[in-house]
Amino acid sequence: MRRIVLVGLLEPWAIEAGVGASSLYETLAGYARRGWDVHYVTNNERRLPGTAHERNIDVDVPGLTIHRFDLPTPLRKWPRLQAKLDRLFFFPLWAALALRRLSIPADVLYGYEAAGVLAVRWFRRLTRSRAFCVSRFEGTVTYAERMLRWSFALRKLELLLAYRAKADAFIVTNDGTSADVVLQRWNKHLRGYNLLHIRNGIDKELFLQPQSRPAVLSELGLDPERFYLLAVSQLLPGKRVDRSVELMAHLPDALLIVCGDGEQLEELKALASRLGVSERVHFLKGTSRERVAALMNVCDMFTSLYDVSNCGNPLFEALLCGQCIVTLDNGGTGQVIRDGVNGRLVALRNLHRLPDYVRALIDSPEERARLEAGAREWAAREMRTWTERIDYEIDWLMSRM
């Protein structure tokens, strides 16, 4: 049996078990499903708002063992600075020491995101481990063009150091942020054969289940006869859910459902109140994957208006469900959404006209139906299931070990 040890400053799920971004969970579960002995090394909860691990989110997956260690919190009064130093120093070093104490004989050491990659680098320096080393990145956190310049990259020092870290293989999520280009800029160990640039998978079985619009909306106390926009996202500044909320001030006959949680929740509620649209904006905090899937199938339009790129799993799931999609032409979004074919792609210079584009679609059921059909066709042709996605990664990795 092969053994893989993953290390990262993330919980298996972004919000709670079965809720939020699922990439890490699917990776852990996917390797276990393939018969690997999977170990995940991360830190314990600290109940510190604004940092990782406000609470533990443990999962029960046969073949998976989660190992936790305590992380120092000397800057509790300054959570943003604490979070920065967590990624840059505290987590990498303490995780490396935890790995050394655990002494798990690994075939593969897998650093997940910047802090995990730096932890693996520390561990290899401390122990001279000869395990096959993997660096995994879920895209970039900002515009790739910025991360290509020394002047900006130094401000994201933990990312820069992680991008430069030596590894035997590099796996980068194709989320439209061009993280593969950034990695090629900074990492001298990168070769064509040891880079896998790949989209995330989606849960086709869950999202293709038939749904009853009256049942789904009535359960939430909503009128099935109204027109509903849907936004699915963590409520963080770069996700720009405020743009969807602001749309409601221009669309008096529409309602917005927001599935997500995060530091901007109260700020977004306050924005809705200031705009006088609170009664037409419904925030569903901690929404399960099952409910998100149901809403994807019964709402009338999906909005994704992120700052950097919109090619995350919610957009792909919306395509799979045949949603009428309105999104922005930034990052690699235009590689997925073709304006007028499988969605409405709004140029950044026309952002001020966003309400007009949405209004036109509300008034044209025929155009919405055409875009919905294009969305389903694209997803059926282009998207892998999570099982297919992780199997592809494992097969690729084993061919390079």
Side-chain angles (χ1 to χ4, degrees), residues 148-188:
L148 295 175
R149 304 193 301 266
W150 274 107
S151 57
F152 184 85
L154 287 172
R155 294 167 55 186
K156 302 289 184 181
L157 184 57
E158 68 277 14
L159 284 175
L160 178 60
L161 293 175
Y163 287 140
R164 293 171 66 86
K166 182 179 180 181
D168 298 301
F170 301 85
I171 300 173
V172 180
T173 299
N174 181 1
D175 65 346
T177 61
S178 300
D180 59 321
V181 176
V182 176
L183 195 61
Q184 291 168 21
R185 164 69 171 90
W186 296 114
N187 199 296
K188 65 181 181 181

Side-chain angles (χ1 to χ4, degrees), residues 129-165:
S129 170
R130 294 187 177 182
F132 190 86
C133 178
V134 178
S135 292
R136 164 79 174 271
F137 297 98
E138 291 282 356
T140 64
V141 297
T142 185
Y143 294 102
E145 293 82 358
R146 294 180 179 178
M147 283 301 300
L148 295 175
R149 304 193 301 266
W150 274 107
S151 57
F152 184 85
L154 287 172
R155 294 167 55 186
K156 302 289 184 181
L157 184 57
E158 68 277 14
L159 284 175
L160 178 60
L161 293 175
Y163 287 140
R164 293 171 66 86

Side-chain angles (χ1 to χ4, degrees), residues 31-93:
Y31 275 86
R33 176 183 49 78
R34 281 287 294 266
W36 289 58
D37 181 21
V38 183
H39 296 259
Y40 184 53
V41 179
T42 191
N43 63 281
N44 268 312
E45 63 183 7
R46 293 183 294 175
R47 303 285 180 175
L48 183 61
T51 64
H53 299 281
E54 294 181 25
R55 59 196 179 96
N56 293 349
I57 303 175
D58 290 317
V59 294
D60 184 14
V61 175
L64 168 65
T65 304
I66 297 180
H67 308 269
R68 296 186 180 273
F69 59 89
D70 292 327
L71 197 61
T73 314
L75 302 172
R76 181 173 289 274
K77 293 183 179 179
W78 300 278
R80 289 188 180 275
L81 181 57
Q82 177 71 51
K84 177 75 171 181
L85 291 178
D86 283 345
R87 298 189 297 270
L88 179 62
F89 174 71
F90 290 122
F91 182 86
L93 180 55

Side-chain angles (χ1 to χ4, degrees), residues 281-337:
V281 179
H282 301 272
F283 293 93
L284 303 184
K285 179 181 176 182
T287 311
S288 69
R289 299 288 293 162
E290 289 75 15
R291 175 157 284 173
V292 170
L295 289 167
M296 283 278 193
N297 278 280
V298 303
C299 285
D300 303 287
M301 187 179 297
F302 179 83
T303 61
S304 182
L305 307 172
Y306 298 1
D307 266 341
V308 177
S309 173
N310 289 273
C311 293
N313 266 46
L315 183 81
F316 295 134
E317 291 158 357
L319 284 159
L320 180 69
C321 294
Q323 277 282 304
C324 176
I325 294 170
V326 177
T327 188
L328 301 184
D329 188 7
N330 54 13
T333 310
Q335 299 170 16
V336 173
I337 300 298

